[in-house]
Amino acid sequence: MQDLSPQQTAQNGIDEAVVSSILSARIRPGTRLSENQLAALFDVSRTRVREAMMRLEARGIVNVSPRRGWFVVEPSAEEAMTVYDARRVIEAGLLRTMSRLTETGRTVLNTHLADEKAAIAAGDRQRLTCLMGDFHIRIAELAGNAILVDILRDLTARTILISMLYQSDFHAMQSHLGHCSIVAAMEEGDFQKAAALSVEHLDEVETGLDLTRRPDPLADLRHSLSLPPQTVAPSSKASRKAKP
């Protein structure tokens, strides 16, 4: 395999920096990504930045607005449901293909669960957001499927953006216990059960979303000025997905 050129490394760095910042909840939905600023930060041309943005657009992470520039996506209620549908299919299917959990895998997952528990105790919501999403990527990594790791990484980033827009309450302990149940089934060697639990877990997370909420374009300024959250009437176009 050929080594990456410095320009290729910089381009990949832009992609990775944006996705990693979303996964750690440092970039919010609707954030503008300036070509000029990114070019200066990564010491590349605007053309290289634009190429990186176009790749992220193809991955569903950013979109472009004519004469305004590039923005981190703000998923609609319909897109949110589609993302969760995709995750259910991929994560359950992935677990069903697994047959054993190695000692290394057991250590990785239990260490991760301990980190989640510590973050809950510390009330560190930003770290929790990162850990909650990273749990699912860890399982894909243990399965050894690099393609699914990349797919789940992008879907998880979009899920975090969805939670920022539509999650009214942060049920950290509920999500943590869901992860614990999945790991327990994997340790027992019952990957069919683990798959079913992963679907149940994603159902619970999606049910916790209020898909009738409309994003508040002034949310960041409102928070900076210590003003109360916006109260809006539910959108007639968005409704929470019905559960059987």
Side-chain angles (χ1 to χ4, degrees), residues 132-152:
M132 292 299 180
D134 204 40
F135 171 79
H136 302 272
I137 299 170
R138 288 282 170 265
I139 291 177
E141 289 173 343
L142 292 176
N145 192 316
I147 292 176
L148 286 182
V149 170
D150 288 342
I151 292 172
L152 269 180

Side-chain angles (χ1 to χ4, degrees), residues 39 51-52 57-58 96 133 138 140 146 169 174 183 200 232-233 240:
E51 290 171 353
E57 182 181 33
R96 291 190 187 103
R138 288 282 170 265
D169 295 308
Q174 182 182 22
V183 172
E200 181 180 313
V232 296
R240 183 179 301 176

Side-chain angles (χ1 to χ4, degrees), residues 156-224:
T156 300
R158 293 169 75 175
T159 302
I160 289 173
L161 294 173
I162 289 165
S163 70
M164 289 183 186
L165 289 172
Y166 300 111
Q167 192 173 51
S168 54
D169 295 308
F170 190 59
H171 302 294
M173 184 56 73
Q174 182 182 22
S175 289
H176 172 67
L177 293 176
H179 292 174
C180 290
S181 297
I182 293 169
V183 172
M186 294 175 70
E187 289 178 324
E188 294 167 2
D190 192 343
F191 290 93
Q192 295 297 320
K193 178 180 178 181
L197 287 169
S198 73
V199 171
E200 181 180 313
H201 168 63
L202 290 170
D203 284 347
E204 289 176 350
V205 175
E206 186 182 5
T207 301
L209 301 176
D210 180 1
L211 297 180
T212 65
R213 296 177 71 187
R214 294 179 180 175
D216 178 8
L218 302 178
D220 289 340
L221 180 59
R222 196 183 303 279
H223 177 74
S224 299

